């Protein structure tokens, strides 16, 4: 399966991608995770990216696209992959198309997580992430057994800087002005399948698996 998960921040793309990739042995590629790693390691790309990320703006296409195309070439994607948070602009989508054509691995499907603003706000403000393994929790929807501690590895849970109220507003505006047009881009290529990002995590997981089965991807 070669998939893109498309949708606003807080739609649940990262949570679903982690579970689906575990179940189907796919490679999970999240540009947000790659960028946060680069920032943490103070790489040249990370240093450039940080100021954009702190404001909730998009990191320039060249930086993000290079990260993904390098990764696609460096890792074994023969079992399939799931792109989460990339592409986010038409330019990135075109770069991705070209890279996948060169690898002879065209996309099978783009899953669009249609999500209301109410859900986005509640998901992002309540999201907590494990500092050690990156597992995603939510203070009410997916609480950890012990407050502030990851169930999986015992790491410390933290709130992303860009999950604070002021930055969230900008991220939603950026999504509406720069990323939303990808819905039409992929609709025209007949790759788009829409699911509801408002659904509960477990329900949506079942819907996604069903969508893949019905489309002959499983
Ligand atoms: P995410 O974890 O997907 O919410 O991404 C966090 C932040 O990383 C975004 O608000 C952007 O600043 C940056 N980012 C992630 N993916 C991209 C992308 N494909 N293009 C540009 N910026 C990105």
């Amino acid at each position: 399966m070669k998939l893109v998960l498309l949708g606003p921040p807080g739609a649940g793309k990262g949570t679903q991608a982690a579970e689906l990739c575990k179940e189907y042995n796919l490679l999970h590629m999240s540009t947000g995770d790659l960028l946060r790693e680069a920032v943490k390691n103070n790489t040249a790309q990370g240093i450039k990216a940080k100021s954009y990320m702190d404001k909730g703006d998009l990191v320039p296409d060249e930086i993000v696209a290079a990260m993904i195309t390098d990764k696609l070439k460096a890792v074994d994607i023969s079992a399939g992959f799931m792109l989460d948070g990339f592409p986010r602009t038409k330019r990135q989508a075109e770069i991705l198309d070209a890279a996948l054509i060169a690898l002879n691995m065209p996309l099978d499907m783009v899953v669009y997580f249609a999500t209301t603003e109410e859900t986005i706000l509640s998901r992002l403000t309540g999201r907590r992430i494990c500092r050690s393994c990156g597992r995603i929790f939510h203070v009410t929807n997916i609480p950890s057994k012990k407050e502030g501690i990851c169930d999986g590895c015992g790491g410390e849970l933290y709130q992303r800087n860009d999950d604070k109220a002021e930055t969230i507003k900008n991220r939603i505006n950026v999504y509406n002005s720069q990323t939303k047009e990808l819905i039409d881009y992929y609709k025209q290529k007949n790759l788009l399948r829409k699911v509801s990002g408002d659904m509960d995590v477990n329900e949506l997981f079942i819907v996604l698996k069903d969508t893949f089965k019905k489309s002959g991807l499983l």
Side-chain angles (χ1 to χ4, degrees):
M1 276 199 282
K2 293 158 294 174
L3 304 178
V4 163
L5 305 188
L6 180 68
K13 304 184 299 294
T15 303
Q16 295 296 337
E19 289 306 309
L20 290 164
C21 287
K22 213 187 317 164
E23 178 136 343
Y24 299 114
N25 203 23
L26 307 172
L27 202 73
H28 179 193
M29 285 183 273
S30 150
T31 37
D33 287 348
L34 290 173
L35 286 163
R36 279 183 289 278
E37 191 65 22
V39 170
K40 197 163 110 190
N41 295 331
N42 257 315
T43 67
Q45 285 174 326
I47 291 165
K48 276 190 210 149
K50 188 174 184 314
S51 59
Y52 297 95
M53 295 172 78
D54 285 345
K55 284 184 271 179
D57 287 336
L58 292 187
V59 173
D61 288 339
E62 298 67 40
I63 298 179
V64 187
M67 277 184 151
I68 281 291
T69 49
D70 288 352
K71 179 111 186 160
L72 282 170
K73 280 186 232 152
V75 293
D76 181 9
I77 52 169
S78 53
F81 59 81
M82 204 166 266
L83 286 170
D84 152 20
F86 182 91
R88 261 173 153 103
T89 64
K90 192 155 171 260
R91 175 88 193 106
Q92 290 179 16
E94 287 164 353
I95 294 171
L96 177 66
D97 283 347
L100 293 178
I101 286 169
L103 293 166
N104 202 17
M105 297 281 280
L107 288 175
D108 295 313
M109 186 188 287
V110 174
V111 185
Y112 165 47
F113 288 51
T115 314
T116 58
E117 198 160 316
E118 199 187 334
T119 302
I120 297 173
L121 290 173
S122 118
R123 291 246 181 91
L124 293 181
T125 48
R127 177 159 68 181
R128 299 292 182 269
I129 298 173
C130 174
R131 237 181 243 293
S132 309
C133 70
R135 188 157 154 188
I136 303 170
F137 293 86
H138 185 280
V139 287
T140 50
N141 305 345
I142 324 172
S144 57
K145 291 194 184 100
K146 217 169 155 192
E147 200 187 323
I149 304 289
C150 175
D151 292 349
C153 74
E156 181 204 358
L157 302 186
Y158 78 104
Q159 181 176 32
R160 274 170 47 177
N161 258 338
D162 61 351
D163 277 348
K164 312 247 160 91
E166 263 327 287
T167 322
I168 289 174
K169 275 197 195 120
N170 188 40
R171 287 165 68 203
I172 295 173
N173 289 342
V174 166
Y175 171 78
N176 285 328
S177 63
Q178 297 183 67
T179 308
K180 220 172 170 183
E181 64 176 1
L182 292 183
I183 297 168
D184 275 336
Y185 179 88
Y186 286 120
K187 211 186 261 175
Q188 275 162 24
K189 291 184 182 283
N190 208 16
L191 285 172
L192 201 82
R193 297 286 177 283
K194 183 172 160 182
V195 297
S196 165
D198 290 332
M199 261 189 268
D200 153 86
V201 185
N202 298 321
E203 260 172 21
L204 181 53
F205 188 61
I206 294 168
V207 167
L208 286 167
K209 290 204 287 189
D210 200 46
T211 306
F212 301 148
K213 270 189 203 129
K214 283 191 181 135
S215 308
L217 295 181
L218 285 179

